[in-house]
């Protein structure tokens, strides 16, 4: 691990030289690439240099244990205890920083929300979830672009698809994929009985054309008039687009724009993201069971969270987290939940990395 950190520091110093080179500064492709790499490595190098400083001080304090002066020995022992704690803490920080980063973390997101079991109540809760994610995105200064929406007769959502554009959107939202369960008394319930409904959420990283190649001959395109709540026509031209990917059978509909061309472009983004997600799932299936347990199953049929209205409670079942802040969460206050999830999965990733290290070698310089 120390050799790896030494290599990172050398690369960091190399990048500092490159970023002062006029030829690199004037290169529109290389310069931003090097700036991003320099920034990422800088986080590791800063901790590594502090770790190295503490290690040297610790070595010096240990040498003082052989001093003939009892007072100096006692001071050295106290200093050693403090430095060892600092070193252990920095070591853990370095291990976390060295965990391989999800290559999709910086990507935009295709967010898909669908009403599940529970009829009209599920559709109303799908509305609530979409509003929750919209407000969360607004708090992060992200942009939400509606791509398609289908309503039921009561004004609830059968399905909504949106693009979330913003810095590291996928890294924050990727843990939201799964089945979200709601327990509440529907407005139409005369007896005051609590109903349980479910909504599924899918969070897909936006895929670039270079990542997913789609043969135009394998796409069947249908156009029709877009419709609104209750099925009424909201357009007088055939602007809505339905794409069918023949090899996979995937179907994508987009009718949010008045332009057929824009709807087709949006539908292609959704299709590309879904195909990319299939590729990622296939890759995960090839990984060992130990690795899959690290990142979670990713199964969207898995119930991940319950929103209980009578108790004002939100429970995330994956980490056993319960918050009595239902209203705040539905208003977009998701940071506490998402931060806890990120910490949990990061700890699992660290445990997995350590279990694969030979002898779980300590980082001491021998």
């Amino acid at each position: 691990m120390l050799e790896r950190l030494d290599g990172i520091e050398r690369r960091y110093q190399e990048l500092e030289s490159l970023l002062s080179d006029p030829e690199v500064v004037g290169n529109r492709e290389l310069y931003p690439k090097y700036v991003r790499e320099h920034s990422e490595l800088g986080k590791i190098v800063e901790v590594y240099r502090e770790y190295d400083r503490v290690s040297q001080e610790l070595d010096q304090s240990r040498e003082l244990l052989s001093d003939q002066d009892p007072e100096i020995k006692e001071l050295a022992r106290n200093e050693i205890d403090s430095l060892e704690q600092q070193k252990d803490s920095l070591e853990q920080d370095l291990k976390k920083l060295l965990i391989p980063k999800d290559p999709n973390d910086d990507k935009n997101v295709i967010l898909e929300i669908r009403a599940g079991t529970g009829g009209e109540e599920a559709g109303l809760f799908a509305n609530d979830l979409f509003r929750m994610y919209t407000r969360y995105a607004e708090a992060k200064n992200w942009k939400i672009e509606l791509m398609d929406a289908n309503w039921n007769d009561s004004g609830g959502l059968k399905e909504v698809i949106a693009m979330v554009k913003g810095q590291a959107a996928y890294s924050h939202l990727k843990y939201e994929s799964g089945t979200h369960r709601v327990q509440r008394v529907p407005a139409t319930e005369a007896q005051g009985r609590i109903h349980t409904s479910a909504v599924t959420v899918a969070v897909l990283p936006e895929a670039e054309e270079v990542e997913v190649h789609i043969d135009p001959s394998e796409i069947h395109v249908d156009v029709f008039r877009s419709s609104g709540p209750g099925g009424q026509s909201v357009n007088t031209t055939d602007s809505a687009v339905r794409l069918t990917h023949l090899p996979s059978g995937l179907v994508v509909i987009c009718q949010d724009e008045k332009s057929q061309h824009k709807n087709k472009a949006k539908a292609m983004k959704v299709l590309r993201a879904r195909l990319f997600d299939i590729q990622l799932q296939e890759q995960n299936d090839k990984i060992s069971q130990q690795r899959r347990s690290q990142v979670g199953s990713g199964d969207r049929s898995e119930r991940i969270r319950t929103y209980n209205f009578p108790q004002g409670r939100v429970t995330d079942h994956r980490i056993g987290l319960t918050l009595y802040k239902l209203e705040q969460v539905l208003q977009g206050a998701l940071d506490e939940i998402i931060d806890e999830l990120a910490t949990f999965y990061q700890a699992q990733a660290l445990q997995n990395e350590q279990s694969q290290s030979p002898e779980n070698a300590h980082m001491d310089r021998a």
Side-chain angles (χ1 to χ4, degrees):
M1 189 179 290
L2 286 173
E3 289 180 2
R4 183 177 173 191
L5 287 164
D6 285 338
I8 288 173
E9 186 172 33
R10 286 194 298 273
R11 175 59 178 169
Y12 181 77
Q13 293 169 341
E14 180 186 359
L15 286 166
E16 287 187 324
S17 298
L18 287 168
L19 290 173
S20 62
D21 186 334
E23 288 189 13
V24 172
V25 173
N27 190 312
R28 293 184 178 181
E29 291 185 7
L30 279 181
Y31 185 71
K33 177 184 174 183
Y34 287 160
V35 167
R36 285 193 298 271
E37 186 182 358
H38 181 266
S39 176
E40 287 296 322
L41 295 185
K43 300 170 187 175
I44 301 174
V45 169
E46 181 181 357
V47 179
Y48 178 46
R49 287 175 176 173
E50 178 65 10
Y51 175 86
D52 194 52
R53 182 190 67 77
V54 170
S55 296
Q56 290 181 32
E57 287 188 14
L58 184 57
D59 289 342
Q60 292 168 5
S61 295
R62 283 171 176 161
E63 289 176 3
L64 292 175
L65 290 175
S66 59
D67 196 280
Q68 298 300 316
D69 190 331
E71 290 186 5
I72 291 178
K73 278 186 177 181
E74 184 61 26
L75 288 171
R77 287 192 189 96
N78 293 334
E79 190 73 15
I80 287 169
D81 288 341
S82 174
L83 289 169
E84 283 181 339
Q85 290 179 15
Q86 290 182 52
K87 185 177 179 181
D88 288 343
S89 177
L90 290 165
E91 181 176 327
Q92 290 303 311
D93 290 342
L94 283 170
K95 287 178 179 177
K96 290 177 183 177
L97 288 168
L98 289 174
I99 294 172
K101 185 180 176 183
D102 186 336
N104 298 314
D105 273 353
D106 293 330
K107 292 187 175 182
N108 296 327
V109 160
I110 302 289
L111 177 67
E112 302 184 348
I113 302 173
R114 294 181 178 86
T117 56
E120 292 184 351
E121 176 64 15
L124 293 172
F125 187 58
N127 269 350
D128 294 338
L129 286 186
F130 184 55
R131 189 182 307 115
M132 177 182 77
Y133 290 124
T134 298
R135 289 178 177 170
Y136 178 68
E138 289 170 352
K140 295 289 183 187
N141 292 318
W142 298 339
K143 179 182 177 183
I144 285 225
E145 181 181 327
L146 187 65
M147 306 187 82
D148 191 34
N150 293 307
W151 296 264
N152 59 30
D153 292 337
S154 63
L157 279 167
K158 293 180 181 178
E159 175 187 62
V160 60
I161 303 173
M163 170 78 80
V164 184
K165 296 181 177 180
Q167 184 177 6
Y170 185 72
S171 71
H172 289 80
L173 292 173
K174 62 183 177 182
Y175 304 115
E176 294 300 295
S177 286
T179 299
H180 295 241
R181 185 177 68 170
V182 60
Q183 296 171 327
R184 65 182 174 187
V185 179
T188 56
E189 172 55 58
Q191 303 297 322
R193 291 174 297 187
I194 297 173
H195 285 223
T196 298
S197 306
V199 171
T200 60
V201 174
V203 177
L204 314 177
E206 181 186 17
E208 303 295 334
E209 289 187 34
V210 293
E211 294 172 308
V212 178
H213 173 71
I214 300 177
D215 188 339
S217 66
E218 296 178 341
I219 300 290
H220 181 72
V221 182
D222 294 308
V223 294
F224 54 97
R225 293 186 182 182
S226 59
S227 60
Q232 73 265 30
S233 175
V234 295
N235 227 337
T236 57
T237 59
D238 292 338
S239 60
V241 173
R242 180 192 297 110
L243 300 182
T244 303
H245 185 243
L246 301 177
S248 66
L250 288 174
V251 177
V252 177
I253 298 172
C254 191
Q255 55 181 347
D256 185 58
E257 301 284 350
K258 293 182 180 180
S259 160
Q260 184 185 122
H261 176 73
K262 289 181 179 179
N263 279 329
K264 184 177 179 182
K266 282 187 174 183
M268 284 295 291
K269 283 188 177 183
V270 175
L271 178 60
R272 192 175 291 113
R274 289 184 185 173
L275 289 171
F276 185 53
D277 187 56
I278 289 173
Q279 289 182 13
L280 293 178
Q281 293 296 325
E282 289 175 348
Q283 289 172 11
N284 286 339
D285 288 341
K286 294 177 182 177
I287 299 173
S288 67
Q289 181 61 40
Q290 182 183 26
R291 172 64 177 166
R292 284 205 302 274
S293 67
Q294 169 202 325
V295 298
S297 67
D299 182 359
R300 295 193 186 99
S301 66
E302 180 184 0
R303 183 193 67 190
I304 64 166
R305 194 174 299 150
T306 294
Y307 304 76
N308 184 295
F309 276 71
Q311 298 177 14
R313 167 174 60 82
V314 179
T315 298
D316 195 287
H317 303 288
R318 294 164 293 181
I319 54 176
L321 174 68
T322 295
L323 301 175
Y324 290 90
K325 301 177 180 179
L326 177 63
E327 287 302 320
Q328 295 96 312
V329 168
L330 290 176
Q331 291 299 318
L334 284 167
D335 277 329
E336 187 171 356
I337 297 175
I338 288 174
D339 288 348
E340 288 285 347
L341 285 164
T343 300
F344 172 77
Y345 285 112
Q346 187 180 59
Q348 283 200 338
L350 178 59
Q351 185 178 8
N352 186 68
E353 286 282 318
Q354 290 175 334
S355 68
Q356 294 179 1
S357 299
E359 304 289 333
N360 293 318
H362 195 70
M363 290 175 59
D364 282 339
R365 294 180 188 273

